[in-house]
């Protein structure tokens, strides 16, 4: 099935592609070429593997949440612990790969966009380690709600550039990073944080993130002797989800669930769930499902979690939805928050608000299955960065 | 012959360079646009580029981003932009109009429906900045069926092989982006632009316009000496923004600026 995609032009069915200004076409062609060589170069792959092992701390474990499983009274829940990675989320897997590619291409300056700040921190981290100049674009709204990550990026030597245009969140940070890239394209490598953007980004970021699913599949087989019945991951742009799903695409008995942010509810209009409530269009270099109005203008999104607060989604997810290989559902801010507390209190693991969306859906799914069945959830990041948001909400609630 | 081809043929016969102002439709408010377009023509515009507002103008600098935001605040949709063109056409049947913008509003309307409605309104060319030729063959086909020119960008980074590929499908004229950057960026290197224009002209008979970074009489004059058309966008839009609070002043001020550029361009032509 879609394990062989994209095609040479970056298409996943009708999705994906390369929709950028002419100035970027040649730099993108160079990137495509450099990546095509690197992914087949044993030396590059060996360096990447070594970094993932010794710097990131891979493989990350999978953990059987026995107490939570018992409480929910259904399937066994297992977590792929990407929250234990260096810098606290799955984002570093791809940031390392792209930074090694930047070095290989002789680029001296790194830019990135960030929403929750996890990708920004991961990028600032690898840039510090490789001695590369680093500028991270971040919406004003996100800077306010993810202060600890802003401070971490600055501590790591990155410049955090505040973006005040549009909705002042992740999509606007991406616009601004694209504008910067086109201006300094000779020396700059743009490390995109998710599986969106012009080809080859959706493929390249997926490839780097697929280490999650490859490890999880092997670990799960070793641990239980079989494959899980279902995988669950949150979807903003969709990098942690595709990383987990991709190595399982051919395992047709494994159900795949991507969980979008329903914000205040899909009916409220205040959400970030393009696969559930959007339609196909073109934004940020690719064709995919978007949150847009009847005139094709991108509309403001809302989610409690900055990392899911994005009006688009990776084109491979659009393809997986249309082919029905994966199912895309949505949970609200309140449900995610409840799952956040639930995992914290039952298992002693504080998840990121993004990952809490996956946990919330898994908690709905588990009672529908038997105790002999298993759900593997991508615990894509840890919740330290969300303390201020959660505390403020608890105070509001009195 | 299309209006664009006719326009360049006339100018070429007179050894003149085309002046192409860009304004965002509906900026700062919808009723300003049509009178403004007529003023621009009266003050020397040969072709008009009319920006279709978009929520996420990735290739634009702050000046045109804000123009888009002002227009969108008034709900200026693609349908509304086409109505403006139709209104303009009631009293001007010769000045070519090129719509410039981003693909998604066209995608939302549907390419075939858009092309038919654009033709009916009197649109002559379409330039989608986020859509190189290989990404929009479906749109290009629809436009061709309606005899609307597909105009494409060439950039400093465009290789010789791509120039050949793009000029094969380009119609009307090609638009050379004079610098690596967004619209309204600062630096403009005349010598490197001239060198790239020679490379482009070696591969196509199409007229070559130059834009991005032309901000005053001096830069317009310098580009007019080497290009078939000079596009001025951000510098003009910035003047419109300056009098956003007094919209009745806009045609006068924008017109005066355009007249200044016209004089500068003509002074460089033989």
């Amino acid at each position: 099935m879609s394990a062989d995609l994209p095609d040479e032009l970056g298409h996943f069915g009708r999705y994906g592609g390369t929709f950028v200004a002419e100035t970027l076409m040649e730099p993108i062609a160079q990137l495509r070429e450099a990546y095509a060589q690197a992914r087949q170069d044993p030396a590059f792959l060996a360096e990447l593997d070594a970094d993932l092992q010794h710097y990131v701390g891979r493989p990350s474990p999978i953990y059987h949440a026995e107490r939570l499983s018992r409480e929910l009274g259904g399937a066994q829940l297992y977590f792929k612990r990407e929250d234990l990675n260096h810098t606290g989320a799955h984002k570093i897997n791809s940031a390392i790969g792209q930074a090694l590619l930047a070095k290989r291409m002789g680029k001296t300056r790194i830019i990135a966009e960030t929403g929750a700040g996890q990708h920004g921190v991961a990028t600032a981290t690898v840039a510090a380690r490789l001695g590369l100049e680093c500028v991270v674009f971040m919406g004003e709204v996100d800077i306010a709600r993810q202060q600890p990550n802003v401070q971490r990026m600055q501590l790591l030597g990155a410049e955090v550039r505040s973006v005040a245009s549009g909705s002042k969140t992740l999509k606007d940070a991406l616009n601004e990073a694209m504008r910067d890239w086109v201006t300094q394209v000779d020396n700059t490598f743009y490390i995109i944080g998710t599986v969106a953007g012009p080809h080859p980004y959706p493929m390249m970021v997926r490839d780097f993130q697929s280490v999650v699913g490859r490890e999880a599949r092997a670990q799960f087989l070793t641990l239980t002797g079989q494959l899980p019945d279902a995988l669950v991951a949150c979807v903003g742009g969709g990098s942690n989800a595709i990383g987990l799903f991709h190595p399982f695409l051919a395992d047709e008995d494994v159900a795949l669930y991507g969980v979008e942010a329903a914000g205040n509810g899909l009916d409220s209009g205040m959400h970030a769930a393009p696969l559930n409530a959007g339609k196909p269009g073109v934004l940020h270099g690719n064709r995919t499902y978007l949150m847009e109005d009847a005139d094709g203008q991108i509309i403001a999104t809302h989610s409690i979690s900055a990392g899911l607060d994005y009006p688009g989604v990776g084109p491979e997810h659009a393809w997986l939805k249309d082919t029905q290989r994966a199912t895309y559902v949505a949970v609200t801010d309140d449900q995610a928050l409840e799952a956040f507390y639930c995992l914290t209190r039952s298992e002693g693991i504080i998840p990121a608000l993004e990952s809490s969306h996956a946990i919330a859906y898994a908690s709905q799914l588990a009672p529908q299955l038997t105790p002999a069945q298993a759900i593997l959830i991508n615990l894509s990041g840890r919740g330290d960065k969300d303390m201020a948001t959660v505390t403020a909400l608890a105070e509001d609630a009195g | 012959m299309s209006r664009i081809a006719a326009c360049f043929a006339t100018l070429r016969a007179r050894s003149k360079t085309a002046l192409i102002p860009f304004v965002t439709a509906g900026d700062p408010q919808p009723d300003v646009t049509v009178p403004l377009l007529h003023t621009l023509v009266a003050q020397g515009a040969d072709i008009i580029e009319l920006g279709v507002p978009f929520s996420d103008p990735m290739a634009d600098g702050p000046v045109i981003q804000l123009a888009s935001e002002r227009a969108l605040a008034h709900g200026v949709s693609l349908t509304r932009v086409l109505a403006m063109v139709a209104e303009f056409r009631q009293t001007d049947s010769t000045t070519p109009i090129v719509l410039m913008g981003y693909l998604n509003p066209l995608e939302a309307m549907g390419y075939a429906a858009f092309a038919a409605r654009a033709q009916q309104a009197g649109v002559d060319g379409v330039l989608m900045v986020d859509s190189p030729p290989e990404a929009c063959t479906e749109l290009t086909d629809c436009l061709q069926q309606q005899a609307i020119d597909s105009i494409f960008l060439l950039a400093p980074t465009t290789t010789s092989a791509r120039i050949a590929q793009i000029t094969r499908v380009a119609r009307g004229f090609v638009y050379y982006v004079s610098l690596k950057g967004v619209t309204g960026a600062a630096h403009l290197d005349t010598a490197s632009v001239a060198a790239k224009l020679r490379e482009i002209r070696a591969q196509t008979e199409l007229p070559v316009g130059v834009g991005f970074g032309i901000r005053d009489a001096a830069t317009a004059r310098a580009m007019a000496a080497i290009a078939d058309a000079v596009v001025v966008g951000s510098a003009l839009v910035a003047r419109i923004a300056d009098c956003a609070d007094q919209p009745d002043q806009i045609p006068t001020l924008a017109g005066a600026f355009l007249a200044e550029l016209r004089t500068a361009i003509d002074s460089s032509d033989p």
Side-chain angles (χ1 to χ4, degrees):
Chain A
M1 107 136 262
S2 83
D4 295 331
L5 294 178
D7 68 14
E8 252 177 54
L9 294 173
H11 295 117
F12 301 87
R14 61 186 290 230
Y15 303 104
T18 309
F19 295 89
V20 294
E22 176 57 27
T23 310
L24 289 175
M25 287 301 283
E26 178 57 20
I28 283 173
Q30 288 169 7
L31 170 62
R32 220 161 41 225
E33 182 58 29
Y35 177 60
Q37 287 174 9
R39 74 191 297 203
Q40 292 179 20
D41 177 355
F44 177 83
L45 296 175
E47 189 178 6
L48 177 60
D49 280 350
D51 279 355
L52 289 175
Q53 185 184 341
H54 299 290
Y55 189 69
V56 177
R58 303 208 70 89
S60 66
I62 52 175
Y63 167 71
H64 183 190
E66 293 183 61
R67 182 168 174 221
L68 179 62
S69 304
R70 246 192 337 269
E71 282 174 9
L72 291 169
Q76 303 304 309
L77 300 190
Y78 291 82
F79 288 98
K80 178 62 173 166
R81 299 290 309 275
E82 291 300 296
D83 61 315
L84 295 178
N85 291 340
H86 179 41
T87 72
H90 71 291
K91 293 292 185 187
I92 189 98
N93 300 329
S94 169
I96 284 224
Q98 291 189 64
L100 291 178
L101 192 58
K103 193 179 74 170
R104 187 181 164 100
M105 292 176 74
K107 305 290 185 186
T108 55
R109 179 173 178 269
I110 296 290
I111 58 169
E113 85 294 341
T114 199
Q118 289 303 115
H119 175 61
V121 166
T123 302
T125 298
V126 296
R129 176 165 173 259
L130 295 175
L132 301 168
E133 183 189 347
C134 181
V135 178
V136 179
F137 295 88
M138 190 168 185
E140 246 177 41
V141 169
D142 294 337
I143 286 181
R145 60 178 163 174
Q146 307 277 240
Q147 264 302 309
N149 274 344
V150 174
Q151 286 156 3
R152 287 164 82 194
M153 287 184 268
Q154 288 166 340
L155 200 58
L156 288 159
E159 179 195 340
V160 179
R161 226 173 267 177
S162 174
V163 178
S165 58
S167 60
K168 306 175 178 63
T169 58
L170 180 53
K171 86 172 169 77
D172 310 286
L174 219 149
N175 289 339
E176 208 53 39
M178 282 279 185
R179 291 179 187 123
D180 178 283
W181 193 25
V182 81
T183 306
Q184 305 201 44
V185 71
D186 293 331
N187 69 345
T188 298
F189 189 105
Y190 181 12
I191 298 189
I192 293 186
T194 191
V195 284
H199 179 59
Y201 282 100
M203 173 184 78
M204 178 170 72
V205 175
R206 174 200 72 193
D207 291 350
F208 289 136
Q209 289 296 356
S210 290
V211 67
V212 175
R214 280 198 308 275
E215 281 177 9
R217 195 174 180 284
Q219 288 167 320
F220 202 88
L221 277 172
T222 304
L223 201 65
T224 70
Q226 51 197 358
L227 291 175
D229 296 279
L231 306 180
V232 180
C234 64
V235 177
S239 67
N240 90 80
I242 212 79
L244 179 65
F245 292 173
H246 197 259
F248 288 88
L249 286 182
D251 300 314
E252 289 182 11
D253 293 338
V254 180
L256 310 177
Y257 294 97
V259 187
E260 294 195 306
N264 296 345
L266 290 181
D267 297 336
S268 70
M270 298 279 288
H271 60 81
L275 289 169
N276 279 276
K279 63 173 189 171
V282 173
L283 180 71
H284 292 153
N286 60 150
R287 179 176 281 117
T288 188
Y289 280 84
L290 299 173
M291 303 263 300
E292 58 175 86
D293 66 16
D295 297 325
Q297 307 295 343
I298 307 307
I299 54 181
T301 53
H302 166 79
S303 170
I304 190 175
S305 91
L308 302 184
D309 205 349
Y310 179 66
V313 63
E316 192 162 7
H317 286 293
W319 165 249
L320 291 174
K321 170 189 162 70
D322 282 10
T323 58
Q324 302 181 342
R325 175 63 188 93
T327 305
Y328 294 90
V329 297
V331 305
T332 64
D333 286 354
D334 289 346
Q335 291 168 321
L337 202 58
E338 192 186 327
F340 172 92
Y341 284 114
C342 175
L343 188 73
T344 301
R345 302 274 165 85
S346 67
E347 295 287 349
I349 297 172
I350 301 176
L353 284 173
E354 288 77 14
S355 319
S356 298
H357 286 70
I359 301 162
Y361 183 71
S363 306
Q364 296 171 19
L365 183 62
Q368 302 170 31
L369 304 178
T370 69
Q373 292 181 294
I375 302 172
L376 176 60
I377 301 143
N378 197 356
L379 186 46
S380 55
R382 69 176 84 125
D384 308 32
K385 68 184 176 61
D386 295 314
M387 287 302 117
T389 302
V390 172
T391 309
L393 285 169
E395 281 167 7
D396 282 353
Chain B
M1 191 187 287
S2 75
R3 282 194 200 97
I4 293 174
C7 173
F8 277 108
T10 307
L11 290 168
R12 202 167 265 185
R14 290 195 245 149
S15 300
K16 286 186 68 171
T17 303
L19 173 57
I20 309 182
F22 167 96
V23 294
T24 298
D27 169 40
Q29 56 192 53
D31 58 2
V32 167
T33 302
V34 175
L36 174 60
L37 300 186
H38 288 305
T39 304
L40 294 175
V41 173
Q43 298 302 323
D46 297 298
I47 297 173
I48 286 172
E49 276 188 8
L50 189 59
V52 179
F54 183 51
S55 54
D56 293 79
M58 271 182 351
D60 284 299
V63 170
I64 293 177
Q65 288 172 44
L66 290 172
S68 242
E69 286 186 17
R70 285 191 295 270
L72 289 174
H74 291 280
V76 176
S77 62
L78 179 54
T79 298
R80 189 81 186 268
V81 176
L82 292 174
M84 290 174 185
V85 176
E87 190 186 336
F88 173 79
R89 277 279 168 258
Q90 286 173 8
T91 48
D92 186 326
S93 59
T94 54
T95 309
I97 292 198
V98 173
L99 295 188
M100 188 165 178
Y102 296 81
L103 203 55
N104 204 51
L106 276 59
E107 177 127 342
M109 183 178 281
Y111 294 148
F114 164 73
R117 292 171 66 175
Q119 202 280 333
Q120 209 163 24
V123 170
D124 302 288
V126 169
L127 197 179
M128 292 291 112
V129 290
D130 58 349
S131 206
E134 53 269 62
C136 65
T137 51
E138 197 187 325
L139 172 62
T140 309
D141 290 346
C142 291
L143 293 173
Q144 195 170 3
Q145 280 169 26
Q146 300 290 346
I148 295 172
D149 290 331
S150 285
I151 292 155
F152 290 108
L153 300 173
L154 297 172
T157 50
T158 307
T159 59
S160 194
R162 273 190 71 76
I163 293 173
Q165 186 191 332
I166 293 169
T167 52
R168 262 200 303 277
V169 290
R171 299 284 179 273
F173 64 98
V174 289
Y175 183 139
Y176 180 64
V177 175
S178 61
L179 47 82
K180 293 175 198 161
V182 291
T183 51
H187 45 285
L188 188 60
D189 175 359
T190 308
S192 68
V193 174
K196 197 74 182 182
L197 292 196
R198 279 193 295 276
E199 190 186 343
I200 295 167
R201 289 188 199 285
Q203 303 203 38
T204 183
E205 297 287 311
L206 285 172
V208 185
V210 172
F212 282 45
I214 293 157
R215 81 183 67 79
D216 52 20
T219 45
R221 189 184 299 120
M223 288 302 123
I226 54 177
D228 299 306
V230 172
V231 185
V232 59
S234 295
L236 177 59
V237 173
R239 281 164 174 78
I240 293 170
D242 284 345
C243 37
D245 298 337
Q246 305 148 283
D248 52 324
Q249 300 291 311
I250 290 172
T252 313
L253 285 167
F257 178 57
L258 208 73
E260 196 184 311
L261 298 178
R262 179 80 260 173
T263 306
I265 287 173
D266 290 346
S267 74
S268 88
D269 288 331

